[in-house]
Amino acid sequence: MLVSRIIRPYYKLFKREKSISSKSDFRNRSLYKYFVDIQTRWRDNDIYGHVNNVVYGEWIDSIVNKYLIEKCSLEPLKSPLIGFVVSSHCEYYSPISYPSKISAGLFVKRIGKSSVDYSVGIFEDNQVEKASAVGGFIHVFVDRINRRPQTINDEMKKQLLSISNIID
């Protein structure tokens, strides 16, 4: 009894705050800062009548590279830095089938010296608040010629920070 009286005023200090740590926490549309609408195609469906998992990977790759090209001035065939995918993942929560329209959302979870961790939410339409799938990958930016990690330049970092929840 005495211990609880002593600890009670400090309980908030010991209590764990809810953080965005579990993968399912990344399902909320409000986390995502950049969106691209995508129309599913007949060929996206597999024998089971829903979009094949390989297609999700294409969507994830496409939204990240579209952002890098449009906002970070990446020129895939000319830029001195290129991104190597060193890790990728996708968790599925509900199936999507043709002829759905999807909205892919992007945000940056972490920026390192030469790496970026992206999260992509796949939403079945523009009104849904929970993603049907959440995926992403980690890019390590390397020199095009020697393939060694290189520091992300300030302009690219600024653009990546603009779609993150990171306080610089």
Side-chain angles (χ1 to χ4, degrees):
M1 184 79 163
L2 179 62
V3 172
S4 68
R5 286 186 185 167
I6 294 170
I7 293 178
R8 187 171 296 146
Y10 302 100
Y11 178 73
K12 288 183 179 181
L13 297 174
F14 297 112
K15 185 179 169 188
R16 287 188 166 201
E17 292 295 321
K18 187 172 191 279
S19 64
I20 308 175
S21 58
S22 76
K23 291 179 180 178
S24 64
D25 289 339
F26 292 110
R27 293 186 66 197
N28 295 325
R29 179 183 282 277
S30 61
L31 289 172
Y32 296 90
K33 311 289 186 188
Y34 175 80
F35 289 88
V36 172
D37 292 332
I38 301 171
Q39 173 64 56
T40 58
R41 305 163 300 179
W42 174 255
R43 72 181 209 127
D44 294 339
N45 279 10
D46 61 18
I47 192 81
Y48 303 107
H50 55 73
V51 171
N52 188 280
N53 60 338
V54 172
V55 176
Y56 288 85
E58 292 173 357
W59 292 339
I60 293 165
D61 188 56
S62 292
I63 188 172
V64 169
N65 283 293
K66 182 175 176 60
Y67 185 82
L68 292 173
I69 291 165
E70 286 181 0
K71 306 294 185 182
C72 299
S73 302
L74 179 75
E75 293 183 54
L77 301 176
K78 295 179 184 176
S79 293
L81 290 184
I82 55 175
F84 282 179
V85 174
V86 297
S87 175
S88 65
H89 66 93
C90 191
E91 289 79 38
Y92 307 93
Y93 299 100
S94 59
I96 296 175
S97 299
Y98 173 82
S100 297
K101 287 186 179 178
I102 65 144
S103 182
L106 172 67
F107 87 95
V108 170
K109 294 193 296 190
R110 190 187 70 75
I111 301 174
K113 185 176 176 183
S114 62
S115 64
V116 181
D117 188 351
Y118 309 95
S119 183
V120 177
I122 305 296
F123 300 89
E124 187 153 12
D125 65 42
N126 285 326
Q127 306 307 314
V128 176
E129 290 300 316
K130 295 284 188 186
S132 295
V134 174
F137 57 81
I138 298 174
H139 255 160
V140 172
F141 287 91
V142 301
D143 179 85
R144 175 180 295 283
I145 297 167
N146 69 22
R147 304 293 206 242
R148 300 296 307 152
Q150 296 293 308
T151 302
I152 299 168
N153 67 49
D154 291 339
E155 185 55 35
M156 181 182 276
K157 186 174 182 179
K158 178 182 170 187
Q159 291 300 325
L160 293 168
L161 281 168
S162 75
I163 61 165
S164 76
N165 296 319
I166 301 167
I167 299 169
D168 190 30

